[in-house]
Tab-separated table of all heavy atoms in Angstrom:
chain	number	residue	atom	x	y	z
A	48	PRO	N	105.802	104.754	90.633
A	48	PRO	CA	104.886	105.697	91.286
A	48	PRO	C	104.488	106.821	90.322
A	48	PRO	O	105.329	107.320	89.583
A	48	PRO	CB	105.774	106.293	92.409
A	48	PRO	CG	106.857	105.352	92.632
A	48	PRO	CD	107.061	104.590	91.356
A	49	GLY	N	103.202	107.139	90.298
A	49	GLY	CA	102.736	108.254	89.472
A	49	GLY	C	102.414	107.891	88.038
A	49	GLY	O	101.925	108.735	87.271
A	50	VAL	N	102.637	106.651	87.656
A	50	VAL	CA	102.469	106.321	86.255
A	50	VAL	C	100.964	106.282	85.842
A	50	VAL	O	100.631	106.478	84.688
A	50	VAL	CB	103.159	104.970	85.900
A	50	VAL	CG1	102.409	103.762	86.428
A	50	VAL	CG2	103.396	104.820	84.406
A	51	GLY	N	100.099	106.020	86.839
A	51	GLY	CA	98.664	105.999	86.525
A	51	GLY	C	98.040	104.643	86.741
A	51	GLY	O	96.985	104.346	86.226
A	52	LYS	N	98.713	103.778	87.537
A	52	LYS	CA	98.159	102.439	87.773
A	52	LYS	C	96.740	102.534	88.311
A	52	LYS	O	95.847	101.828	87.874
A	52	LYS	CB	99.024	101.680	88.829
A	52	LYS	CG	100.437	101.419	88.405
A	52	LYS	CD	101.193	100.614	89.457
A	52	LYS	CE	101.420	101.293	90.782
A	52	LYS	NZ	102.361	102.421	90.747
A	53	GLY	N	96.557	103.430	89.326
A	53	GLY	CA	95.234	103.527	89.952
A	53	GLY	C	94.183	104.009	88.944
A	53	GLY	O	93.086	103.441	88.912
A	54	THR	N	94.541	104.990	88.155
A	54	THR	CA	93.583	105.547	87.180
A	54	THR	C	93.092	104.464	86.204
A	54	THR	O	91.893	104.298	86.013
A	54	THR	CB	94.249	106.665	86.341
A	54	THR	OG1	94.752	107.632	87.262
A	54	THR	CG2	93.331	107.303	85.371
A	55	TYR	N	94.032	103.743	85.611
A	55	TYR	CA	93.633	102.815	84.551
A	55	TYR	C	93.102	101.506	85.174
A	55	TYR	O	92.178	100.913	84.610
A	55	TYR	CB	94.834	102.575	83.562
A	55	TYR	CG	95.119	103.874	82.856
A	55	TYR	CD1	96.206	104.676	83.217
A	55	TYR	CD2	94.263	104.299	81.849
A	55	TYR	CE1	96.432	105.904	82.573
A	55	TYR	CE2	94.472	105.540	81.207
A	55	TYR	CZ	95.559	106.326	81.585
A	55	TYR	OH	95.753	107.507	80.958
A	56	ALA	N	93.667	101.093	86.308
A	56	ALA	CA	93.121	99.875	86.964
A	56	ALA	C	91.675	100.135	87.376
A	56	ALA	O	90.838	99.240	87.229
A	56	ALA	CB	93.981	99.468	88.151
A	57	SER	N	91.362	101.334	87.885
A	57	SER	CA	89.998	101.525	88.347
A	57	SER	C	89.024	101.627	87.165
A	57	SER	O	87.914	101.186	87.216
A	57	SER	CB	89.917	102.683	89.322
A	57	SER	OG	89.735	103.896	88.642
A	58	ARG	N	89.483	102.221	86.064
A	58	ARG	CA	88.629	102.254	84.881
A	58	ARG	C	88.340	100.882	84.359
A	58	ARG	O	87.197	100.520	83.957
A	58	ARG	CB	89.288	103.068	83.755
A	58	ARG	CG	89.246	104.547	84.048
A	58	ARG	CD	89.869	105.354	82.922
A	58	ARG	NE	89.312	106.687	83.009
A	58	ARG	CZ	88.687	107.328	82.012
A	58	ARG	NH1	88.573	106.741	80.822
A	58	ARG	NH2	88.232	108.531	82.175
A	59	LEU	N	89.397	100.033	84.315
A	59	LEU	CA	89.159	98.657	83.837
A	59	LEU	C	88.287	97.860	84.772
A	59	LEU	O	87.517	97.039	84.355
A	59	LEU	CB	90.538	97.945	83.674
A	59	LEU	CG	91.250	98.202	82.373
A	59	LEU	CD1	92.606	97.519	82.403
A	59	LEU	CD2	90.453	97.701	81.139
A	60	SER	N	88.469	98.148	86.047
A	60	SER	CA	87.651	97.426	87.052
A	60	SER	C	86.161	97.750	86.865
A	60	SER	O	85.327	96.839	86.906
A	60	SER	CB	88.155	97.804	88.439
A	60	SER	OG	87.185	98.266	89.274
A	61	SER	N	85.833	99.006	86.504
A	61	SER	CA	84.414	99.318	86.224
A	61	SER	C	83.975	98.618	84.941
A	61	SER	O	82.884	98.093	84.866
A	61	SER	CB	84.238	100.806	86.066
A	61	SER	OG	84.742	101.521	87.119
A	62	LEU	N	84.856	98.638	83.947
A	62	LEU	CA	84.474	98.059	82.629
A	62	LEU	C	84.212	96.561	82.770
A	62	LEU	O	83.235	96.043	82.236
A	62	LEU	CB	85.617	98.327	81.650
A	62	LEU	CG	85.382	97.791	80.207
A	62	LEU	CD1	84.320	98.656	79.492
A	62	LEU	CD2	86.663	97.820	79.403
A	63	LEU	N	85.096	95.876	83.522
A	63	LEU	CA	85.026	94.417	83.591
A	63	LEU	C	84.261	93.930	84.810
A	63	LEU	O	84.124	92.719	84.989
A	63	LEU	CB	86.413	93.814	83.611
A	63	LEU	CG	87.331	94.152	82.431
A	63	LEU	CD1	88.717	93.597	82.645
A	63	LEU	CD2	86.766	93.619	81.122
A	64	SER	N	83.784	94.858	85.653
A	64	SER	CA	83.088	94.507	86.903
A	64	SER	C	83.879	93.549	87.776
A	64	SER	O	83.377	92.515	88.215
A	64	SER	CB	81.695	93.876	86.611
A	64	SER	OG	80.958	94.705	85.781
A	65	VAL	N	85.137	93.914	87.985
A	65	VAL	CA	85.973	93.169	88.952
A	65	VAL	C	86.503	94.161	89.953
A	65	VAL	O	86.725	95.332	89.596
A	65	VAL	CB	87.182	92.423	88.317
A	65	VAL	CG1	86.836	91.087	87.802
A	65	VAL	CG2	87.891	93.269	87.298
A	66	PRO	N	86.755	93.755	91.176
A	66	PRO	CA	87.284	94.708	92.150
A	66	PRO	C	88.700	95.191	91.804
A	66	PRO	O	89.527	94.418	91.298
A	66	PRO	CB	87.274	93.934	93.465
A	66	PRO	CG	87.132	92.515	93.106
A	66	PRO	CD	86.478	92.439	91.775
A	67	HIS	N	88.899	96.464	92.047
A	67	HIS	CA	90.257	97.081	91.904
A	67	HIS	C	90.815	97.101	93.309
A	67	HIS	O	90.272	97.781	94.191
A	67	HIS	CB	90.074	98.491	91.329
A	67	HIS	CG	91.288	99.344	91.487
A	67	HIS	ND1	91.219	100.706	91.731
A	67	HIS	CD2	92.617	99.066	91.447
A	67	HIS	CE1	92.424	101.222	91.804
A	67	HIS	NE2	93.300	100.278	91.654
A	68	ILE	N	91.876	96.367	93.553
A	68	ILE	CA	92.443	96.316	94.898
A	68	ILE	C	93.855	96.908	94.853
A	68	ILE	O	94.788	96.381	94.235
A	68	ILE	CB	92.525	94.839	95.368
A	68	ILE	CG1	91.097	94.252	95.388
A	68	ILE	CG2	93.126	94.791	96.780
A	68	ILE	CD1	90.992	92.840	95.855
A	69	ALA	N	94.003	98.098	95.489
A	69	ALA	CA	95.269	98.798	95.514
A	69	ALA	C	95.858	98.668	96.902
A	69	ALA	O	95.259	99.155	97.887
A	69	ALA	CB	95.044	100.265	95.147
A	70	THR	N	97.041	98.045	97.008
A	70	THR	CA	97.598	97.876	98.350
A	70	THR	C	97.985	99.224	98.976
A	70	THR	O	97.922	99.390	100.183
A	70	THR	CB	98.804	96.903	98.354
A	70	THR	OG1	99.655	97.263	97.227
A	70	THR	CG2	98.391	95.480	98.268
A	71	GLY	N	98.297	100.222	98.123
A	71	GLY	CA	98.564	101.572	98.691
A	71	GLY	C	97.316	102.116	99.380
A	71	GLY	O	97.433	102.708	100.445
A	72	ASP	N	96.120	101.862	98.819
A	72	ASP	CA	94.871	102.283	99.478
A	72	ASP	C	94.660	101.563	100.764
A	72	ASP	O	94.220	102.152	101.765
A	72	ASP	CB	93.667	102.056	98.547
A	72	ASP	CG	93.614	102.980	97.341
A	72	ASP	OD1	94.352	103.983	97.344
A	72	ASP	OD2	92.888	102.649	96.427
A	73	LEU	N	94.998	100.260	100.802
A	73	LEU	CA	94.829	99.487	102.021
A	73	LEU	C	95.739	100.014	103.118
A	73	LEU	O	95.369	100.157	104.279
A	73	LEU	CB	95.143	97.979	101.784
A	73	LEU	CG	94.294	97.266	100.721
A	73	LEU	CD1	94.705	95.783	100.623
A	73	LEU	CD2	92.796	97.381	101.013
A	74	VAL	N	96.984	100.388	102.713
A	74	VAL	CA	97.936	100.952	103.669
A	74	VAL	C	97.402	102.263	104.151
A	74	VAL	O	97.400	102.563	105.359
A	74	VAL	CB	99.331	101.106	103.010
A	74	VAL	CG1	100.257	101.950	103.867
A	74	VAL	CG2	99.965	99.744	102.714
A	75	ARG	N	96.883	103.127	103.265
A	75	ARG	CA	96.405	104.462	103.677
A	75	ARG	C	95.146	104.329	104.574
A	75	ARG	O	94.999	105.073	105.522
A	75	ARG	CB	96.104	105.350	102.448
A	75	ARG	CG	97.385	106.004	101.908
A	75	ARG	CD	97.117	106.941	100.759
A	75	ARG	NE	96.744	106.239	99.572
A	75	ARG	CZ	97.588	105.652	98.717
A	75	ARG	NH1	98.872	105.712	98.965
A	75	ARG	NH2	97.185	105.013	97.648
Side-chain angles (χ1 to χ4, degrees):
V50 74
K52 298 183 294 292
T54 303
Y55 295 102
S57 87
R58 285 181 157 235
L59 276 176
S60 125
S61 307
L62 181 72
L63 302 175
S64 306
V65 275
H67 164 216
I68 302 180
T70 44
D72 289 345
L73 301 181
V74 168
R75 278 183 289 279

